[in-house]
Every structure is written in structure tokens, then in C-alpha cells.
Amino acid sequence: LRARVLEAGEEIGGTWYWNRYPGARCDVESMQYSFSFSDEIQQEWKWKELYAPQAEILSYINFVADRLNLRNDIQLSTRVTAATFDSSDNRWTVETNVGDAFSAQYLIMATGCLSIPLDPKIKGINDFEGVLLRTSNWPKDGVDLSGKRVGIIGTGSSSIQAVPHLAQQADQLYVFQRTPNYSIPAQNRPMDSAYEHDWKDNYAERRKLAKRTRNNTLNNAGPKSGTEFSREELEKEFEKRWQAGGIGFMYTCSDITSNEDVNEIAADFVRNKIRKIVKDPKKADILIPRDYPIGAKRICVDTEYFETFNRDNVTPVDIKSNPIEKISKNGVVLSNGDTFDLDTLILATGFDAMTGALLRINISGRNGIKLADEWAAGPKTYFGIAISGFPNMFTITGPGSPSVFTNMVTSIEQHVDWIVDCMTHLQDQGKQTIEAMPDAQENWTAHGNEIASTTIFYSAASWYVGANVEGKPRIFMPYIGGADNYIDKLTEMTAEGYRGFEIS
Ligand code: NA7
């Protein structure tokens, strides 16, 4: 088989190419957030920090592409606009914005879970006469904000990482916050060489162990349920996790996202931390999340986010109780008439997650059915890797797979391996198509929804459930049953002769 990679960006790197705002950093440890398929590569690359910044990950991706001589197969600055399956020859035609029409037997959608940025629908946004920036497409040469009055809308992971950096430069920084977020300190530090060597000496074993966890990451998942601890003991455990840093906090106990009482103790622990860190009680009051469970929106990981509000030049602005009325040519105007004159306005307002990139391509499957119609009431997939009615099309980390709840690199590798094995199987058997059967897809989707319904995840207006996009169906999109269980089920289905697929 020959492969052609079509990429919208001017360079490779995906998320790590686009999201180059100051402070952008991974929240999975570098030693784990890397490819495992080549021991040579994982031994050779040297990570400089415990959690890698965006620029380092982008260099790593480029290093891998060069090392494997992949560039000749990649066509940059090319956005796929349509993909159409033709049953008469069982091939896909893939059209692009630069006028290509490729014919392909297999179509692999590696379009990303968070790749379609959203601008807020705020009146007058185009009237702003200052500089309008987006964390999701930051100027490549950086921006000098010294002496500037800067506003940032949004307080998700992107903003929480950017704010401490913006604050150091800006004359005044206004953080427009609709929903306060829970955030855990990364406790990032330079890579300790003994730690690096320990990982490199034990990579094969560690990678295997990581795949036996719920999130494909070794971060000391607590085996115990929160109910086995007293409140005091539980708080001690949370303190240990807080000191260790990172998303491991959300794995302190096994039921943190399913037992509301345990979740509330964790949430309260973080609220108290915010109260202690932020010296001005009025600012702290704005920044404390109260009305949704911790983890129901993706947990944030920061470096001195809350501390930054102790600076005189940083002001949190509550736009929940006093929403933005409009953007004027000078800046932001709130409903009560308060105005904030700005030189620069930054949008950190999130993404059309999981389905956004797929639905922006006009995908037509067997008998002309449209993906947009099939998913009108929410995404349906078989294992998040295939869609009924769309033969020979695969989705990498698609909705219905653990994806964003895991170390993405590992989940991507698992899907890539599965797809390659599947195509090899078809070629070996002299078969032309593979297609998920509707009932298998129904069962898988129902299974995912059923697990999600036993969790706290429907209790927040998050992108996990599509709540950040007007009119998007409220369906919990990732698979929350655990990466370990997922891969067992995928392996079992495959071993049973690709149960639930029709191969012809
Ligand atoms: P997120 O986490 O989706 O955050 C977007 C933020 O923007 C969030 O605070 C939103 O508030 C806010 N937002 C969105 N639209 C508006 C409008 N119209 N007005 C005011 N505020 C708004 O995106 P990120 O880029 O930070 O992070 C995405 C993922 O990347 C993250 O989860 C990690 O996986 C990495 P809301 O909470 O909806 O009230």
C-alpha cells in the first residue's frame, strides 16, 4: 500500500503546531507522552523537563518525522473538504481545498479530538480595533505584550497555562471568567537524569504496565475507594497528590468521578487551596469553582496560575453574574456597563471537540449517506474506530474510544496498530471492505453511554458532552470505561474474527 498524508497546517505537529501560546505544555509526563513503537527513538530523544513545553514536543515530532523519513508522504497546507465512498469500486475519493481528488482504498481520519477552535458568539467581536489573538493559533514569532492592556476570555487549560506568562509582560491583564476551574499544580521541574535513566532502562516494562491502567499512564492510580478512608485520611491523600502534582490528583481513589461525596471532598480540598493561595478574598471568591464536580470539566494542570492573581496587574472578572454585553472598538463592555479598554484581546474559548473536525468534512458513505445525518443526534461508532455505513474508513481516537481520558500518544499508537493489522488482514484474505454492522455499533454506543450515566460527567457544561457548542447533542463522547478494559474488549472482538464487522 502507498500512503498519502493530508495536513491542513503549514507544518506537521497538529495540536502541538497550532497551540503555541506562551505557557503551552503537556499535562502528561514527558517520559510517557512519547511514542513507544521504536526503542531507538525513545532512547535517543532527551526530554528536558518533567512536563514538556509545546516547543519541545513540536521539535520531538519533527525529529521523529525526519528520523523515519516521513516528509515525502505528507502534503502540507491541504485541508480535506469532502470524502465520498463509491460502492462500484469500493474506493474513497478525497477532495481538498487546493483542488486535489485522491482515490484511496482506505481512509484514516487522524483529525484530532481538539482541533477545531471556537470563537465566542459575542456581539461586536469584529469591531475591536486592537489586536485580536487566539491561543489556538498564536503568532509564530510570538507577541510582545509589554506595556499593553490585555484581556483574555476563557479559563480552561489553555488560559490557565497562558495567564502566568501573559501577566509577566502585560501592563494590565483582565481574565474574563464564565466558569471557574479546578486546577492542580504541575510541580514541573527540569528532568532529573536519574529519573530519565530509570525510565529508559525500564521502558519496555513500564509501557506495558501503563497500558494496564485506566488512562494508559503510570501515575499511581489509587487502588482504594474513597469510602475506605476517613475524611481526614482522604485529605492527607489529596495533599500527597497535590504535592506530587499533575492529573494524578484525579486518580487518588478509584471512585472520585463516580461517588459524589468523595468527589465533593476532593473539590473542597482544592477550594481551600485556592483560598489559601489567593491573598485577596474577593479575587479568591471569583476563582473558586462551586457548582460542578471536580473532574466533570477536564481537570487543569498549572504552574502558578492562582498565585498570579496576587499580582496587582491581574484582575479576574466574573462574567457569569455580569456577562459580556458586547465587544466595542476599544474593548469589552459588560452588562452592567463596566468597560475594559484593551490593546489586545485573547480568545481561549475552546474547541468543537471530538466530532468537530470530522463533521466539517463532507463525508458520504455507502449509498450516499452523510456522516452529518448519521450523527445528528450525537456520534455513534464501533469502538471509536469505525462507523457503520462508512466502509474502510477508520477514526483514530474517535468518539466512543478512551481518547482524551488517556495518554493520547499511547491511544493513538493502539489505534494505528489495530488499523494496520486490520488492513493487513484484509489484504491477506483477499478482501476489499470492512464495515461496522449497525447493531454492533448500537451496542457499543449504548455500552459507553451506560457507563457514563453512572458518573459525575453529565453534571457540568463541558466539551466532553458537547455543551460548549450551541445545538450540539448532549452526549458524553469519550469512552469512560477505562483504557485497559477498552483494549481488552477491542482485542477480544478482533480475536473473534472482527466480531461486529462485515468483511467482504
Ligand atoms: P476549554 O477547556 O474548552 O476552555 C474554554 C474556556 O472558554 C472556558 O473557560 C469557557 O467557559 C470559555 N468560553 C467559551 N466560550 C465563551 C464565551 N462565549 N464567553 C465566555 N467564555 C467562554 O478550552 P481550552 O483551550 O482551555 O482547553 C481545551 C483542552 O485542551 C483541554 O481540556 C485540554 O485537554 C487541552 P465555560 O467553562 O464554557 O463557561
Side-chain angles (χ1 to χ4, degrees), residues 220-230 233-234 237 241 251-256 262:
N220 307 319
K224 282 195 187 175
S225 136
T227 51
E228 292 176 55
F229 296 99
S230 68
E233 286 168 340
L234 205 46
E237 293 298 314
R241 299 289 175 137
Y251 294 88
T252 307
C253 40
S254 54
D255 49 357
I256 191 167
V262 172

Side-chain angles (χ1 to χ4, degrees), residues 15-16 19 21 25 27 114 118-122 135-136 152-161 176-181 292 297-300 319-320 324 347-353 404 408 461-464 467-468:
T15 281
W16 299 108
N19 293 273
Y21 57 85
R25 188 180 293 285
D27 57 9
L114 293 154
L118 294 170
D119 274 5
K121 289 192 176 134
I122 300 176
T135 49
S136 56
I152 181 164
I153 302 181
T155 47
S157 296
S158 300
S159 173
I160 280 180
Q161 291 188 331
F176 295 99
Q177 174 197 273
R178 189 164 64 183
T179 311
N181 242 316
Y292 65 99
K297 280 172 178 282
R298 198 177 189 283
I299 192 78
C300 299
I319 54 167
K320 179 83 134 207
I324 296 178
L347 304 179
T349 41
F351 299 85
D352 186 354
V404 293
M408 285 297 284
S462 73
W463 57 255
Y464 290 147
N468 63 330

Side-chain angles (χ1 to χ4, degrees), residues 226 229-232 234-235 238 249 256 259-272 294:
F229 296 99
S230 68
R231 181 166 184 137
E232 205 183 7
L234 205 46
E235 280 171 358
F238 287 134
F249 186 90
I256 191 167
N259 182 317
E260 284 174 15
D261 298 334
V262 172
N263 186 282
E264 180 58 19
I265 297 173
D268 224 26
F269 177 91
V270 176
R271 292 179 193 125
N272 284 330
I294 185 168

Side-chain angles (χ1 to χ4, degrees), residues 181-183 274 277-278 287 302 304-310:
N181 242 316
Y182 298 94
S183 187
I274 301 171
I277 297 170
V278 182
L287 293 165
D302 72 276
E304 308 219 318
Y305 175 66
F306 294 115
E307 288 82 347
T308 297
F309 290 91
N310 291 330

Side-chain angles (χ1 to χ4, degrees), residues 424-489:
T424 307
H425 176 78
L426 295 184
Q427 300 294 117
D428 287 351
Q429 303 286 314
K431 303 289 185 188
Q432 280 197 3
T433 59
I434 181 163
E435 183 180 346
M437 292 196 279
D439 54 340
Q441 173 168 286
E442 282 299 325
N443 289 342
W444 179 254
T445 306
H447 165 63
N449 290 341
E450 195 186 313
I451 303 176
S453 69
T454 65
T455 66
I456 47 96
F457 287 107
Y458 280 107
S459 312
S462 73
W463 57 255
Y464 290 147
V465 296
N468 63 330
V469 182
E470 221 180 288
K472 194 164 170 171
R474 293 272 177 123
I475 298 287
F476 183 81
M477 294 179 286
Y479 177 76
I480 193 65
D484 46 356
N485 294 326
Y486 170 82
I487 209 71
D488 286 348
K489 288 179 193 296

